[in-house]
Structure formats: C-alpha cells, structure tokens
Amino acid sequence: MTVHLSFLLILTGLTGVHSVTTVSKVSVKAGDSITIPCLYGPQYMNHVKYLCKGSHLGFCSYAVKTNQPRSSGKFSISDDKNQRIFTVTIKDLTNTDTDYWCVVEMNGGADDGQNFHLSVTTDTPSLSVDHQEITGFIGESINISCYYRNSGESEWCRLGMNCVTGSSGSIDGTSVTISATVPNVFTVTMSGLKTESSGWYYCVKGELQMPVHVTVTEKPTTSTPRTTKYPTNISLTLEPVHQSSVFASKDPSTVQQNSLSIHLKSFIIRLSLLTFIVIVGLFIWFMFKRYKRTKADSTTAKAEEDLRHSNAEEYSKEVKGRE
C-alpha cells in the first residue's frame, strides 16, 4: 500500500494537476503538417509554454518553446494570451511523430501538461477537414465539412467548452446544426456568428478529433458609385484667373519657366498673325496691280484699233477722191 501511494505521489509530481486542455488523438497524412491548440488556465498566462516529444512527460524532449520560438523548420509555436491558447505546428509528418505533450513550464515545480497522439498514415486520414483555418462574418453562417472513414458518434466541440451531439444545439450562444446528407461527411453549420465565436473548435468522430480555428470579423463593405443629381437652373459666374494666382503656390524657378513659356507662345502667335496679315496684304496688292495692268492694256489696244480703223477710213476716202 505504501509503495502504491509513493508511486501515485511520484506520478502526480511528474504530471502535475492537468490545467492544460487539448485534443487527444488526431489522424494525419505523412508529409503534411498539423496545428494543435493547447488551452491553459489564467494562472499560466505569463508562463513559458513548450511542445515536448515523447510518450511520458517526465522523459520527453523539448521540440520548441515560446521563449525560443522557431518560425521555420519542423516545429513552431505561438501564444495567444487573450484567449489563453498556445498553438504548436508540426511539419513534414513522419511515422515517428506520434506522441507529444502541450506543456506549461512551472517556476520551481513540476511542469503541467497534456498529451496528444498523432496517427500518421500514408493513406487518406480517418478524420480530416478542407482547411484548419476558416473565416466568417458577424451575423452570418459558416459551414465546416468533416470527412471521416471511421465509425462512431459525430460531434462538434469548442476547445475547453461543451460539445454539440446530434443534429442541433448551441455553443456559447452560437447556433450549431450537424447534417449528414453525403456519405462519409458530416457538415457543421454555425449560425448567428458573433465576435466571441472566434476560437478553436474540433470535429469529433469516434475516438478521433480534428482541430479547426474559426475567425469572425466584420463583413467588408463594398463601395458603390453614387449618382449625384444636379439642379438644371444653375447659373455659373466665371471669374478671371490672374497669372499671379495660378503660380502663387509653386516654386519660383517653375514660375519663371512657366512665365517664359507663356510669353514665348504669345510672341509666336502674334508673329504668325502678323505674317498672315502681310501675306494677305501682298496678295491683294498683287491682284490689284495685275487688274490695273490688264485694264490699261485693254484700253491701249482699243485705242490702237480705233486709230487703225480711222486711218483706214481716211485712206479709203482719199482714194475715192483721186478717182
């Protein structure tokens, strides 16, 4: 009896009083990655958390710690102190990735942790989801499809809270329905989402669980162009714009360049207009001179013709007089 009691005391010292909650058994495919949430009590908010690999807490090996996080490689860890959940991600799963512990480090005492088991398979996992991350909008609904190959009761649970078993129920004020219209799939619908609905949930089928993180946010508003109607009886008053006001806020060098450009354009316009007037004047003068010359030539020719005709008549008279 004394031996048994001593063994229980030693075991309690090694494992601690479990204030850490996580899933117990997850089916995963070799080569994939999995994220496991670990819920802890408020007394552990500022403690170091870590993932430990091994079947026994007292003899497991550190994989990753929150005070020594790894953002790359096989393991990573993050701590959400607002929801009191730290998450661990294990990548490139192999058949040696079976037993792990979510652990909170104690200051001067036995560490507190909870173990989970990974069932690694080369085939399709016995329980899986499309994505471990899903986003919904406040007041709306989301659907989560849980695919299974094993037998047992279907449930939808929130980590550290209650579960919905059967066709309907509620979790923390959010309506939940479970339907199984497709073989080997049960669909979870969460309706009337609230901001507080955000958190870690998991599908349950028999002895297996699959964690899913739900994020609920405000639905983004899509801006549509507005048509503004203007009155038809608008009177517009045009005010003269002075050159000084146009360049008032610009750099002095820019103002000078713009001023020179305006003067140059004005000079070119005036020169072009003057050239056009001169050309038109010369053309009119040339046509007038030509007209006068033509008229003078016509008058001279007529006078010569009359003179010849008069001379011809006098000569004819003179000839007749001689006869």
Side-chain angles (χ1 to χ4, degrees), residues 8 19-20 32 63 83 92 100 116 125 132 137 142 174 197 203 286 313:
L8 289 175
S19 294
V20 179
D32 288 350
Q83 296 211 4
D92 300 322
Y100 288 91
F116 61 89
Q132 276 197 275
F137 302 118
I142 56 171
T174 302
S197 303
C203 304
F286 174 77
E313 287 182 350

Side-chain angles (χ1 to χ4, degrees), residues 217-292:
T217 62
E218 288 278 356
K219 188 173 184 178
T221 57
T222 55
S223 57
T224 56
R226 296 182 299 175
T227 303
T228 306
K229 296 182 178 180
Y230 297 98
T232 55
N233 56 341
I234 297 178
S235 60
L236 299 177
T237 303
L238 300 179
E239 294 292 337
V241 180
H242 299 286
Q243 183 177 334
S244 58
S245 63
V246 174
F247 304 109
S249 61
K250 295 185 177 181
D251 184 75
S253 60
T254 305
V255 173
Q256 185 177 4
Q257 292 176 0
N258 290 333
S259 179
L260 290 174
S261 177
I262 291 175
H263 286 305
L264 181 59
K265 289 180 180 179
S266 177
F267 172 77
I268 292 173
I269 292 173
R270 290 177 183 177
L271 181 60
S272 300
L273 182 59
L274 180 60
T275 303
F276 176 78
I277 293 174
V278 170
I279 292 173
V280 171
L282 289 173
F283 177 79
I284 294 174
W285 178 81
F286 174 77
M287 294 300 294
F288 179 75
K289 293 287 290 183
R290 184 177 180 182
Y291 170 76
K292 288 183 67 177

Side-chain angles (χ1 to χ4, degrees), residues 122 216 263 306:
T122 57
V216 181
H263 286 305
D306 291 342

Side-chain angles (χ1 to χ4, degrees), residues 26-34 90-95 97 118-128 210:
V26 181
S27 178
V28 292
K29 186 175 182 179
D32 288 350
S33 63
I34 186 70
I90 308 170
K91 301 178 182 178
D92 300 322
L93 293 163
T94 66
N95 55 7
D97 294 310
L118 299 180
S119 177
V120 184
T121 176
T122 57
D123 203 351
T124 304
S126 296
L127 180 62
S128 61
M210 173 53 65

Side-chain angles (χ1 to χ4, degrees), residues 39-54:
L39 176 68
Y40 55 86
Q43 70 273 25
Y44 295 153
M45 183 174 296
N46 296 318
H47 285 229
V48 173
K49 292 88 179 177
Y50 63 91
L51 176 67
C52 202
K53 184 176 181 179

Side-chain angles (χ1 to χ4, degrees), residues 162-182:
N162 62 305
C163 299
V164 172
T165 304
S167 59
S168 63
S170 66
I171 298 177
D172 197 23
T174 302
S175 176
V176 177
T177 58
I178 300 176
S179 61
T181 57
V182 179

Side-chain angles (χ1 to χ4, degrees), residues 50-61:
Y50 63 91
L51 176 67
C52 202
K53 184 176 181 179
S55 56
H56 299 284
L57 179 58
F59 305 100
C60 62
S61 58

Side-chain angles (χ1 to χ4, degrees), residues 181-214:
T181 57
V182 179
N184 298 110
V185 180
F186 69 90
T187 302
V188 178
T189 302
M190 297 179 63
S191 307
L193 295 172
K194 304 176 293 183
T195 305
E196 295 80 11
S197 303
S198 297
W200 278 97
Y201 298 78
Y202 53 94
C203 304
V204 179
K205 189 66 177 179
E207 63 176 359
L208 296 176
Q209 302 93 37
M210 173 53 65
V212 178
H213 186 259
V214 175

